[in-house]
Amino acid sequence: MQTGKIISIRGSVVDIGFEDYLPSINTLLHTGKDKNISIEVLAQLDANRVRGIALNPTQGLTRGMLVETEGKQLAVPIGKNIMGRMFDVFGNVIDHQGKLSDVKWKNIHQPPPSLAERSTKSEVFLTGIKVIDVLVPLERGGKTGLFGGAGVGKTVLLTEMIHNMVGHNKGVSMFCGIGERCREGHELYQDMQTAGVLENMVMLFGQMNEPPGARFRVGHAALTMAEYFRDEEHRDVLLLIDNIFRFIQAGMEVSGLMGQMPSRLGYQPTLGTELSQLEERIANTKSGAITSIQAVYVPADDLTDPAAVHTFSHLSASIVLSRKKASEGMYPAIDLLESNSKMATPGIIGKRHYELAQAIRKTLAHYEELKDIIAMLGLEQLSNEDHKIVNRARRLERFLTQPFFTTTKFSGIEGKEVSLEEALDGCERILADEFKDIPESAFYMIGRVEEALMKGKKEKSQEATTEEK
């Protein structure tokens, strides 16, 4: 145990002096009356002084107060027993479900896997959600950005992915809340418990009211836990991060407190490095994969903002949620033309899937152009070919909606998981006008396309009965 003394305190920034020992960068120091305040070393000022950022509020600290360190870094628990639990940045359980037992502790500062360890094969990560698997295929071991405002279905989409991941891929799901409101954390915990997926999940939160130092390290702590499941248990991990912008924001606050000269728009000069240190650890290796879905807040809807630009460079797919779609009841409310994926190439998903996805996009784009004409002049003024395109597009839009397992108790419709082959088959048959005589309402909220035939027959028989009466 090495000891030093506090020299100065400026908000969360604390300078500490040591006589014959100098802690290295990222060493954890403990101070306060009960040694309950943790400080992480971020800079060595000279041979005897270090500057650190407090991970707890600094109320009660005074100059001359004793500081202790064992020379260790911030660590989190790893092991089978962390499943189904909720943690803070220090690895303490915060779900009131009793203490942890039989766990090891591991430093949160780990290097990303080297190129030699990574898998060079591009694989698609199947979610069981038609619209994502067909039009925005996700990469196994890749990073996906989820863009959307409040109330358009981000959490429902994430919960469904967790349900499908846990149920069929025997994988692990991790939720990392960076700068989350306590209300959001509490609601998510209750939702996961109700959906029955909590026992295969690990949740880690750095709340909005916590100091920037703690919020800045939550992402690294979550990745350390995820790496344990990937590297030691050889399981696939689905890592959900909400919100990656708040990680950048916490880094900006830390940088400002440390007295660094700000870069463009007030961001820290080390923005690119800090984001890369986090993102590069999310990878597909020979032992398993960490697939990440990250909610991305775009400041003032400006996609040229440095935070958005640096985040985009790491993503392999972008899912854009649309409020207009949500208002029409088209769930999942994904904007099919705005969303895109780098995996959607013939070399990765195959020629048939690629050509089908392009045909779907082309049909939907054409329908979007025709909407103005329909609104002004009506459907009657369209040519026969345009009529066919509108019918196909409307059936495709409804076929790409899907009832979710996690919303069964609200909607009363049983959830459906659809394989990629079934989804592609359905889209292909709709584009070939095979179902032109079936009402478009029959395609809404179904799984496989065969269900539309049954639904259509049922609707026709009901209409016939009504007419007879």
Side-chain angles (χ1 to χ4, degrees):
M1 185 77 73
Q2 301 288 340
T3 58
K5 284 185 179 176
I6 293 177
I7 299 167
S8 69
I9 308 152
R10 293 181 309 284
S12 292
V13 177
V14 185
D15 287 2
I16 301 116
F18 291 85
E19 283 185 11
D20 48 6
Y21 167 78
L22 194 70
S24 56
I25 304 291
N26 296 333
T27 301
L28 203 62
L29 316 175
H30 302 280
T31 186
K33 284 181 182 173
D34 305 316
K35 298 291 175 279
N36 58 347
I37 295 174
S38 301
I39 299 166
E40 191 177 47
V41 176
L42 289 188
Q44 295 173 330
L45 302 177
D46 54 36
N48 301 101
R49 290 185 308 140
V50 293
R51 180 167 288 168
I53 190 100
L55 305 182
N56 313 87
T58 53
Q59 282 93 333
L61 288 191
T62 58
R63 279 189 293 181
M65 199 173 259
L66 199 68
V67 178
E68 293 178 353
T69 179
E70 295 174 344
K72 293 179 180 174
Q73 296 182 353
L74 184 60
V76 288
I78 56 167
K80 286 185 170 67
N81 290 351
I82 67 170
M83 296 292 270
R85 304 303 301 267
M86 191 195 278
F87 299 90
D88 65 8
V89 71
F90 300 104
N92 304 318
V93 283
I94 52 173
D95 53 9
H96 311 294
Q97 300 293 321
K99 289 185 178 178
L100 272 181
S101 59
D102 193 27
V103 289
K104 291 189 284 185
W105 290 75
K106 190 177 179 183
N107 289 348
I108 67 164
H109 299 283
Q110 300 292 335
S114 67
L115 279 173
E117 294 168 61
R118 289 173 189 251
S119 170
T120 52
K121 194 175 157 196
S122 286
E123 289 178 72
V124 172
F125 175 79
L126 294 174
T127 62
I129 299 167
K130 288 182 283 193
V131 61
I132 293 177
D133 291 344
V134 172
L135 290 176
V136 200
L138 308 187
E139 184 183 3
R140 182 174 174 264
K143 296 168 270 282
T144 302
L146 190 60
F147 303 84
V152 291
K154 279 203 300 287
T155 307
V156 173
L157 197 57
L158 294 182
T159 315
E160 186 69 7
M161 284 187 190
I162 291 166
H163 179 279
N164 293 354
M165 173 81 177
V166 167
H168 299 274
N169 300 2
K170 301 292 177 279
V172 181
S173 295
M174 284 215 58
F175 185 89
C176 170
I178 305 175
E180 284 281 273
R181 299 168 185 86
C182 62
R183 171 187 62 77
E184 293 171 330
H186 186 263
E187 282 174 9
L188 190 80
Y189 185 79
Q190 299 293 347
D191 289 346
M192 298 302 163
Q193 208 166 26
T194 314
V197 296
L198 194 62
E199 62 274 9
N200 285 296
M201 264 195 91
V202 184
M203 299 172 90
L204 212 130
F205 285 95
Q207 276 175 233
M208 199 173 254
N209 63 322
E210 290 181 26
R215 282 181 274 127
F216 189 49
R217 291 298 180 217
V218 175
H220 299 95
L223 265 164
T224 305
M225 290 178 172
E227 284 165 349
Y228 158 76
F229 291 110
R230 180 190 68 191
D231 301 336
E232 294 184 37
E233 291 205 2
H234 307 300
R235 293 170 77 178
D236 280 5
V237 184
L238 179 64
L239 173 66
L240 309 162
I241 302 177
D242 191 7
N243 186 308
I244 202 71
F245 174 75
R246 297 203 190 112
F247 165 76
I248 293 169
Q249 210 170 26
M252 184 162 76
E253 289 178 51
V254 169
S255 173
L257 288 165
M258 292 294 289
Q260 291 177 347
M261 184 72 76
S263 179
R264 195 160 72 88
L265 297 182
Y267 285 102
Q268 63 271 42
T270 49
L271 167 61
T273 313
E274 287 167 2
L275 190 61
S276 298
Q277 280 170 348
L278 185 77
E279 296 278 14
E280 286 298 300
R281 287 170 68 178
I282 301 167
N284 182 1
T285 67
K286 288 161 189 168
S287 55
I290 299 174
T291 304
S292 169
I293 297 172
Q294 308 170 6
V296 184
Y297 167 70
V298 181
D301 292 335
D302 176 18
L303 294 174
T304 62
D305 187 273
V309 170
H310 282 276
T311 308
F312 272 125
S313 64
H314 291 280
L315 301 177
S316 54
S318 304
I319 297 174
V320 181
L321 295 176
S322 150
R323 194 168 298 283
K324 187 169 175 288
K325 282 260 185 192
S327 67
E328 291 169 3
M330 298 289 186
Y331 289 104
I334 295 172
D335 190 320
L336 307 175
L337 298 174
E338 286 289 319
S339 306
N340 61 69
S341 167
K342 289 178 184 171
M343 300 296 283
T345 60
I348 296 170
I349 59 174
K351 192 167 181 248
R352 179 196 172 216
H353 183 170
Y354 173 75
E355 285 175 357
L356 206 50
Q358 291 299 97
I360 293 166
R361 283 183 186 277
K362 191 177 173 183
T363 305
L364 293 170
H366 199 147
Y367 174 49
E368 203 62 39
E369 288 168 12
L370 293 172
K371 274 182 179 175
D372 288 341
I373 299 169
I374 296 166
M376 286 186 289
L377 305 172
L379 268 168
E380 300 76 32
Q381 301 301 317
L382 297 180
S383 65
N384 280 343
E385 193 52 47
D386 284 348
H387 251 293
K388 286 179 183 174
I389 284 167
V390 169
N391 287 337
R392 283 176 210 147
R394 289 180 67 84
R395 279 165 177 73
L396 278 171
E397 277 186 338
R398 279 149 186 76
F399 177 63
L400 292 172
T401 61
Q402 193 168 337
F404 283 171
F405 291 97
T406 48
T407 58
T408 303
K409 60 182 184 293
F410 308 117
S411 63
I413 308 169
E414 195 187 334
K416 302 271 168 67
E417 191 176 348
V418 185
S419 72
L420 175 63
E421 196 48 50
E422 287 168 344
L424 290 174
D425 178 56
C427 292
E428 196 168 40
R429 289 167 73 182
I430 290 168
L431 286 169
D433 287 336
E434 197 177 311
F435 305 105
K436 63 174 186 281
D437 300 325
I438 292 173
E440 59 191 42
S441 58
F443 293 87
Y444 180 66
M445 285 294 166
I446 59 167
R448 296 161 61 212
V449 80
E450 282 76 16
E451 291 174 38
L453 291 167
M454 291 154 63
K455 231 173 152 185
K457 282 175 189 171
K458 202 173 173 184
E459 281 181 27
K460 279 180 182 173
S461 64
Q462 282 173 347
E463 279 171 24
T465 315
T466 313
E467 279 171 20
E468 281 171 21
K469 283 179 184 176

